[in-house]
Amino acid sequence: MSTPTHIDQINGESRGPFVDYVRPYPEQLRASLKGMNGSTFWSYSLWRAPEGADLLEDIPFSEEYMQCAGTAEALALEVRRIEADGTPHQYAIGKPGGDRTGEPTEVIHYDNGRHRTTVYPHEVFTADEAAVVFYTYFLTDDVSQPYELRDLHLSWPKPESEEGDS
């Protein structure tokens, strides 16, 4: 059992210290992600707590995090980070060697089908695969090789051609 250094969040609402009290961190991540069913549990996020934060007192948000949405069988993973120039970027995470020609075709539904995201086939992960990526992020605050990042070019307001997309 160790002092919590990270915060996890479920469905964008319930958040708290990410702890290893019940099982070691890699197993905790795997168990959490395997519980994702797309309806009552559809999204999971993880970020490092600020240095010295008292997680019994406050559960702070962060500008940098890893998140996923979907079901244990089909998850879309993303990472948000602040680049060296100070600008935030959000990236879809993909397995190596995927084909990015054309538009993404794999639709991941979540929140009882109220929302969706569309990714390339190599950007769909199972809970077991995602647990490996999340654990590396937990240890290093980064997405390691051989995984690939695709900039999602998120901006607000959305360009007119994207209005109405979820």
Side-chain angles (χ1 to χ4, degrees):
M1 185 166 57
S2 57
T3 302
T5 58
H6 286 70
I7 296 165
D8 65 353
Q9 179 172 273
I10 296 171
N11 296 346
E13 296 173 354
S14 174
R15 69 182 193 277
F18 179 57
V19 297
D20 62 346
Y21 301 163
V22 176
R23 54 181 73 90
Y25 288 121
E27 292 175 29
Q28 183 61 42
L29 284 166
R30 184 170 287 107
S32 293
L33 297 172
K34 281 186 171 263
M36 294 182 69
N37 60 19
S39 57
T40 59
F41 181 11
W42 65 83
S43 74
Y44 182 82
S45 304
L46 180 74
W47 62 88
R48 182 174 294 282
E51 191 69 36
D54 180 352
L55 299 183
L56 295 176
E57 189 69 30
D58 184 34
I59 306 294
F61 286 105
S62 176
E63 292 285 326
E64 298 184 293
Y65 52 82
M66 180 173 284
Q67 66 183 8
C68 66
T71 67
E73 295 78 27
L75 293 166
L77 276 65
E78 297 177 356
V79 65
R80 185 178 192 274
R81 63 187 188 197
I82 307 300
E83 298 298 345
D85 66 0
T87 59
H89 285 267
Q90 193 146 331
Y91 300 93
I93 301 170
K95 299 168 204 160
D99 180 7
R100 288 193 195 150
T101 57
E103 293 295 315
T105 58
E106 300 297 311
V107 179
I108 306 288
H109 294 275
Y110 58 97
D111 191 9
N112 268 335
R114 288 187 284 266
H115 301 284
R116 63 179 161 69
T117 189
T118 306
V119 297
Y120 290 99
H122 73 285
E123 296 172 342
V124 178
F125 289 79
T126 65
D128 286 332
E129 292 169 329
V132 172
V133 181
F134 268 93
Y135 186 60
T136 300
Y137 182 81
F138 170 77
L139 294 174
T140 67
D141 296 322
D142 205 357
V143 177
S144 68
Q145 298 292 332
Y147 300 102
E148 301 173 350
L149 301 180
R150 175 174 56 91
D151 196 332
L152 296 175
H153 302 290
L154 300 180
S155 62
W156 192 258
K158 286 185 175 183
E160 286 185 35
S161 64
E162 294 179 23
E163 303 266 339
D165 285 353
S166 302

